[in-house]
Amino acid sequence: MEGELAHIGAGLAAIGSGAAAIGVGTVAGNFLSGALRNPSAAAGQTATLFIGIAFAEALGIFSFLVALLLMFAV
Amino acid sequence: MATETTGATASTCVVDGSAVGMPQLCFDWWPNQIFWLTVTLVVIFFVLSRIALPRIAAVLAERKGTITNDLAAAEDLKAKAVEAEEAYNKALADARAQAQEIIAEAKAEIQADLDDATAKADAEIAAKLAESEKKIAEIRESAMDSVKEVAKDTAKELVAAMGGKADGRTVTSAVNARMKG
Amino acid sequence: MATEAQGEEGGLVFHPMDQFIVKPLFGDGPVGLFTITNVTLWMAITVVAVIALMVLGTSGRATIPGRMQSIGELAYGFIYKMVEDVAGKDAVAFFPYIMTLFMFIVFANFLGLVPMSFTTTSHFAVTVLLALLVFVTVTVVGFVKNGAAFLGLFWVSSAPLALRPVLAVIEIISYFVRPVSHSIRLAGNLMAGHAVIKVFAGFAAIAAVSPLSVVAITAMYGLEVLVSFIQAYVFTILTCVYLKDALHPSH
């Protein structure tokens, strides 16, 4: 029974991956719209873009980690 | 790395060749990984900082130097080309000016010759004209005389033919009066 | 990445985590501190690859570079510019250190994509050590270069005075969470990608789904190639950002 609950929890935690996907999409989309408005400034901001994506993605990775822990470590 | 033989792997993390839980969280393996990672990082660090990075930096600097030199040489050549072009343009302008001069000179000479010739011709023509006029006047004069003679004779004959005796003086004056009229 | 699913008990059995098992190369003994394991093997291959690219590739010292030398110089210029742009000119002293991190991570990630290989950077043991190295370096450098002024990093002087203690707590927490997110991001990305590929591979055992599964594996593999590089890039650039905080702690 406990194992099944853990699996359900893992599934719920995987929702976090989707949330992270929304976050990454927001970051990339806003960067793109900004870059299209001012293409000359875009090249200098790619580093910031990747840092932003990395931070957004890290939280998704955390939820993935929680899912993995529930699946395999509990 | 998948199919582990079912041999007794001396770890609580592996049972029957499959991982129990997450292998990442099997702390039996951490010391080994940390040790080898340290070795790896130290080796890479020394290889990079002692050999690779100084070498690449040197190559890049050398290339930069070469490029700078080449650019300077190109700049030199360009300056030379500009100089040569200037010299060429100057020579061209000089030649043009010279040609202009020569043309002007020649024109002046020709003009002078032409003027001379014109003057000469004018003088000749004037002389000839005067002579011709004189001749014409002479001819006219003689013609006038001849006409008078002929008129007188004709008048005398006419008068004689009509039966009168023509007085020479009267005829002459009459003819003269007619001729003037 | 062999197919994992076995028809035992009639159902599919996935072992997506088996690819991360550390085991001795010779014999079946316990994994001790100095045991030569698959970790050793793949780290050695990483070292060899780095040496091949950065040392053997540039051995010609050609003014007009060949292919290998071009790649080496590209990596050099890429990281050098990143360090200079992100961390500042005075961070160039740390360039070999950052270059080491980048070269190791990028090669370990790409070698992990070779079928049947072992991905060293998918292990928390590895990434936690890398992240802690960065964390300790940054903290030590910060205190050595700035002394107590380094603590100004946590005292946001541009905020209203009443808010500053609260912000200080948040800043301190975020400072100490850095190595956690730094390490888990790298290992998590790598592990996730490899595990997902493995799960898709498990579905290939069903004949009806296997074409779809192969397509999915191919797509995931392409994504993983991208992720491998981006994660190495992100790890390196975050190191540069942290280093910048240490060298210029004023906000």
Side-chain angles (χ1 to χ4, degrees), chain B residues 70-136:
Chain B
D70 285 3
L71 279 181
E75 202 71 24
D76 263 16
L77 288 177
K78 202 183 165 193
K80 267 183 197 161
V82 167
E83 228 165 72
E85 204 192 339
E86 256 165 33
Y88 165 76
N89 277 342
K90 206 171 155 244
L92 200 65
D94 279 1
R96 274 217 181 109
Q98 221 167 329
Q100 218 70 32
E101 231 164 69
I102 289 168
I103 289 168
E105 232 165 70
K107 249 188 191 164
E109 228 164 80
I110 289 165
Q111 195 65 44
D113 280 2
L114 203 64
D115 284 355
D116 266 11
T118 314
K120 223 171 163 184
D122 276 358
E124 242 163 66
I125 290 164
K128 269 188 184 158
L129 206 65
E131 207 173 304
S132 316
E133 249 158 31
K134 214 167 115 194
K135 262 183 193 162
I136 291 167

Side-chain angles (χ1 to χ4, degrees), chain C residues 38-63:
Chain C
N38 45 4
V39 178
T40 320
L41 173 68
W42 285 98
M43 281 190 181
I45 293 175
T46 309
V47 172
V48 169
V50 170
I51 291 177
L53 177 65
M54 300 304 284
V55 178
L56 303 182
T58 60
S59 60
R61 292 164 180 269
T63 310

Side-chain angles (χ1 to χ4, degrees), chain B residues 1-2 4 17-19 23-24 29 31-33 35-37 40 45 47 52-53 55-57 59-60 62-63, chain C residues 4 17-18 23 32-35 37 40 43 47 55 58-59 63 69 73 76 100 104 116 122-123 126 129 191:
Chain B
M1 303 297 112
E4 175 87 340
S18 329
Q24 278 86 354
W29 296 334
N32 181 269
Q33 298 188 55
F35 170 72
W36 288 114
L37 176 65
T40 307
F45 181 78
V47 166
L53 298 184
R55 183 187 288 173
I56 295 177
V59 168
L60 289 180
E62 195 181 305
R63 178 171 317 142
Chain C
E4 245 344 88
M17 307 312 277
D18 281 7
K23 57 174 179 278
L33 182 56
F34 303 114
T35 316
T37 56
T40 320
M43 281 190 181
V47 172
V55 178
T58 60
S59 60
T63 310
Q69 199 184 329
E73 284 171 10
Y76 180 97
T100 305
F104 171 72
M116 305 300 291
S122 69
H123 273 263
V126 172
L129 183 63
M191 188 206 330

Side-chain angles (χ1 to χ4, degrees), chain C residues 28-105:
Chain C
D28 258 354
V31 178
L33 182 56
F34 303 114
T35 316
I36 295 177
T37 56
N38 45 4
V39 178
T40 320
L41 173 68
W42 285 98
M43 281 190 181
I45 293 175
T46 309
V47 172
V48 169
V50 170
I51 291 177
L53 177 65
M54 300 304 284
V55 178
L56 303 182
T58 60
S59 60
R61 292 164 180 269
T63 310
I64 299 158
R67 263 181 244 169
M68 287 289 270
Q69 199 184 329
S70 284
I71 298 173
E73 284 171 10
L74 211 65
Y76 180 97
F78 180 64
I79 303 301
Y80 195 88
K81 198 170 167 298
M82 187 197 289
V83 173
E84 220 177 40
D85 287 356
V86 178
K89 290 242 187 267
D90 44 351
V92 167
F94 296 94
F95 169 61
Y97 175 68
I98 294 171
M99 190 74 182
T100 305
L101 290 179
F102 177 75
M103 292 312 284
F104 171 72
I105 294 171

Side-chain angles (χ1 to χ4, degrees), chain B residues 58-69:
Chain B
V59 168
L60 289 180
E62 195 181 305
R63 178 171 317 142
K64 209 176 171 191
T66 311
I67 289 171
T68 315
N69 284 347

Side-chain angles (χ1 to χ4, degrees), chain C residues 13-35:
Chain C
V13 181
F14 299 110
H15 296 290
M17 307 312 277
D18 281 7
Q19 57 181 325
F20 302 120
I21 291 174
V22 177
K23 57 174 179 278
L25 277 188
F26 311 108
D28 258 354
V31 178
L33 182 56
F34 303 114
T35 316

Side-chain angles (χ1 to χ4, degrees), chain C residues 184-209:
Chain C
I184 289 183
R185 179 181 303 115
L186 179 58
N189 263 297
L190 270 288
M191 188 206 330
H194 286 248
V196 167
I197 288 180
K198 205 59 170 270
V199 170
F200 282 142
F203 280 116
I206 308 171
V209 200

